[in-house]
Each structure stands twice: as C-alpha cells, then as structure tokens.
Amino acid sequence: MTTFRDLLGAAKAQITEVDTEQAAAWIAAGARVLDVREPDEYDQGALHGAIHIPRGHLEAQVEGRLTDKAAPVVVYCAGGVRSAFAAKTLQELGYHAVASMAGGFGLWKDQGRPWTTPATLTADQRHRYMRHLLLPEVGVEGQSKLLAAKVLMLGAGGLGSPAALYLAAAGVGTIGIVDMDEVDASNLQRQILHNLDRIGDRKVDSAKKTLSLLNPDVDVVTYDTRLDASNIVEIIRGYDVIVDGADNFPSRYLLNDASVKLGIPVVHGSIFRFEGMVSVFHPRQGPTYRDMVPEPPPAELAPSCAEAGVLGVLPGIIGSIQALETIKVILGLGEALIGRILSVDTTDMSFRVFNLRPDPANPVTWANRDRIEIRELTGLCAPGLSH
C-alpha cells in the first residue's frame, strides 16, 4: 500500500529541491516566486513579490498567473511539503525550471531573510472585487492600492458621472468631487450620477448619495465651490490623480498650473457634439495641457455643450476611458496616455492616437514649479464644471 511518505519521496525524486540560500540566488537572478500556502498563512507574512495561489487552486489558476512557462519559478509553502507536490504539478504542466524551497517560509523567516506582510482584504472586499483579484496585474496588492488611492473629480457632470461611477465601483478609496451647480432636468440626458428625484439638489450631494450606495468602501469628499486661484492648491493637494471634467478654458488652465506646481497627474477629457478626446497630463513624466493648447482660443470659438449640444452617450464613452486611464496610473498598469492624445469620432466610430510633445516655449513645467504663479484667466468663457 502506498503511503504519504511514498508519495512525497516520489515527488521529491522528480523535482529540483533547493535550500533557502539557493532559493535566494534563484530569486536574485529573476525567478518568479510562488506561494502555495492557504490564505490565512499568506496573510501573516510572505516573500517579497510572491504570487499567491493556494495549493488546492494551483492547477486551475497557475497558467493564468504564470504565463511564461520558460521562466524559472521558486515554489514554497510552510515547510517544503506542499511545494514539492506543487513543483511536480508545474513540471507536468510544462514549466521548464521549477524548484521547491526546502524548509519553506518557516525556515526562511527563522534565518532572518527578508519578508513582508502582504496587503489584505476583508471577506466582503474579496467577494466584491473578485474579478479584479483574478487579474494577475491587479490581485490583492493592486486592489489595496486602489483602496488607498485618492482621486479628485473636477465636475460631477457628463464626464464626471461615468468616471466617478466606475472609479467607485473599482474601489478607489477616496473620491473628491468639486462642483458648484444644481441638478437640472436638461442635464439628465448625460449626467447619470443624478436622477429626477434630485432636481434642484446640489450636484455634489447627489453624487455622494449615488456613489455611497454603489460602494460603501468609498469615502466621498465634496467641495461645493468654484475653483479659483485662492483655493485650488488647497483643494487638490494630497490627491493622487485628478480627473478633469471641466467644460471651460479658465478652469483647465487653472488646473494645469496648480497640478504642475504640485506634480499631480491629470486625466483630461473633453467632448464636443459627437467627438471627444482623452489624454494624461503627468507633470513629472510628460507634456501637460499647456503643451497641447498653449493659448486659450477666443470665447466665440469655444462654445459650451449648452450652446453646441452633445450626444448623451458620448461623455459616457470618454468618461469611462478617463476612469480606465486613472486606474492605470494608480496601478502603474500598461501604457497610460502620457504624451498621447486619444481622439474619438462617434459618427464613424474611429479612434485615433496622436503624439504630444512638450512645447519648449512653455514655462509652466515641473522643472520650473517653484516659479509658477496660480492666476485666474478672465474674459474667456463662463465658469462651470459640468458638461
């Protein structure tokens, strides 16, 4: 009769087993690290950068989490038993260079080698964000970053509505909203944060009700005020990303100069009739709004949505892309639209990307941040924050 020891011995005879010193050398050389312990064990401590897949889920999940089967992998558990069986399984699945760490995390920790306490989520959060957790690029660590992030919405209108909804649903922990308007029936064609029952309510209050009902994890901070040179720095300071849903040039230039001075990335969106555009203005990494539009056009050449109209679904598309780019910036995921402009024309459903380069004549830069003066632009178009 085959015993457990027989199975373990047979598994170890077919795999590569390394001690903690050898495992550290593999890791230093670029090997991926796989933790196959149970969630409660992992939550108490793990190796830096470890991918966590409990042994019972290994076969079902590992190929989606470790996609390069040629890359070396160090597997560990608490003492080296589960990792031995896991290493055998990986070999059977076609992974070319797999090693089980003898002694496991217990010995690694006892020897004083580096480890960390992983980010953890509550049971309710694990359930709510399950589809995020299944993405290797997000996982528990990425979701924890979202929960710790602070995003400021400039406007709770056409662009701010879809962007705020998706950011709240994604679990962005703090969402600030700046808007000084009331809910109006003529805006409900596109401003989906609000409804008929809230006509006449302050937009920031209506937005807070909607977002709080969608996700109680989110702390919604409201600013029922007009941004101006006297308050903008105080309001935006401390936020990680700003989502620009303004519909006028004075607000955009004011935001640009203040965000450059503080080094805060801005996810810009704008819409006109059937067309829209999105870009990410990151003062420390690329061009900003003044590089794209050095001087504001005359008011007669910049009609508002109230004057020119807008297809109601268009801000939903552009605002959703803004939410996506915001999440990418927070997580460092993929390639954000830094130095690029995404242009959308819904009449022929065309998406085009244009490169944007820094304007050498632009003095409002991160390098010159100490000399930037926050000033109002006057005589352009009427102030407001709601497309």
Side-chain angles (χ1 to χ4, degrees), residues 104-345:
F105 180 69
L107 181 58
W108 178 280
K109 184 178 177 181
D110 290 344
Q111 291 176 340
R113 298 184 184 276
W115 59 281
T116 186
T117 301
T120 59
L121 303 176
T122 66
D124 287 344
Q125 288 172 332
R126 284 183 175 275
H127 182 68
R128 173 182 287 273
Y129 307 117
M130 183 185 304
R131 301 305 188 276
H132 275 179
L133 305 186
L134 292 173
L135 295 170
E137 298 84 356
V138 182
V140 173
E141 183 178 354
Q143 188 60 54
S144 298
K145 287 182 180 179
L146 291 173
L147 288 165
K150 297 181 178 181
V151 175
L152 181 67
M153 313 297 304
L154 185 56
L159 293 175
S161 288
L165 283 167
Y166 273 111
L167 290 173
V172 170
T174 301
I175 296 179
I177 303 176
V178 183
D179 204 305
M180 59 174 292
D181 291 339
E182 295 180 350
V183 178
D184 186 277
S186 68
N187 294 330
L188 298 182
Q189 155 252 22
R190 64 198 180 282
Q191 297 181 10
I192 57 176
L193 270 173
H194 317 293
N195 58 48
L196 284 170
D197 291 339
R198 299 178 190 164
I199 290 175
D201 290 357
R202 306 302 295 176
K203 278 187 179 178
V204 291
D205 297 333
S206 173
K208 182 169 185 173
K209 290 176 183 177
T210 301
L211 300 178
S212 298
L213 286 171
L214 177 63
N215 189 350
D217 281 344
V218 179
D219 178 23
V220 182
V221 182
T222 60
Y223 304 89
D224 190 354
T225 185
R226 175 183 178 272
L227 279 185
D228 58 34
S230 69
N231 64 16
I232 187 168
V233 171
E234 180 182 353
I235 288 176
I236 73 173
R237 190 189 303 275
Y239 282 94
D240 302 306
V241 185
I242 301 169
V243 178
D244 177 13
D247 68 349
N248 65 88
F249 285 100
S251 293
R252 290 173 185 164
Y253 283 98
L254 191 67
L255 173 61
N256 176 84
D257 296 356
S259 64
V260 171
K261 189 175 185 68
L262 297 179
I264 304 173
V266 173
V267 180
H268 171 80
S270 58
I271 52 177
F272 179 72
R273 293 173 57 83
F274 303 97
E275 301 176 8
M277 57 167 287
V278 183
S279 189
V280 177
F281 301 130
H282 200 312
R284 306 188 194 206
Q285 297 183 22
T288 61
Y289 186 75
R290 283 187 182 271
D291 294 305
M292 183 178 73
V293 188
E295 297 291 338
E300 62 270 17
L301 297 181
S304 68
C305 292
E307 298 167 319
V310 61
L311 188 68
V313 72
L314 175 63
I317 297 170
I318 300 300
S320 296
I321 295 174
Q322 286 182 278
L324 176 58
E325 289 297 306
T326 300
I327 291 172
K328 287 165 62 179
V329 170
I330 293 169
L331 298 181
L333 178 65
E335 185 178 351
L337 286 170
I338 298 172
R340 296 183 298 153
I341 302 169
L342 172 65
S343 173
V344 181
D345 185 341

Side-chain angles (χ1 to χ4, degrees), residues 87-106:
K88 181 174 179 294
T89 297
L90 290 179
Q91 289 183 174
E92 292 169 349
L93 289 172
Y95 289 85
H96 299 169
V98 182
S100 170
M101 187 173 76
F105 180 69

Side-chain angles (χ1 to χ4, degrees), residues 50-121:
I51 295 171
H52 179 228
I53 307 176
R55 177 65 190 90
H57 299 286
L58 184 65
E59 290 84 353
Q61 296 184 13
V62 69
E63 290 177 302
R65 304 285 299 278
L66 292 172
T67 57
D68 184 0
K69 293 188 175 182
V73 181
V74 173
V75 190
Y76 76 91
C77 60
V81 174
R82 285 169 289 178
S83 62
F85 289 113
K88 181 174 179 294
T89 297
L90 290 179
Q91 289 183 174
E92 292 169 349
L93 289 172
Y95 289 85
H96 299 169
V98 182
S100 170
M101 187 173 76
F105 180 69
L107 181 58
W108 178 280
K109 184 178 177 181
D110 290 344
Q111 291 176 340
R113 298 184 184 276
W115 59 281
T116 186
T117 301
T120 59
L121 303 176

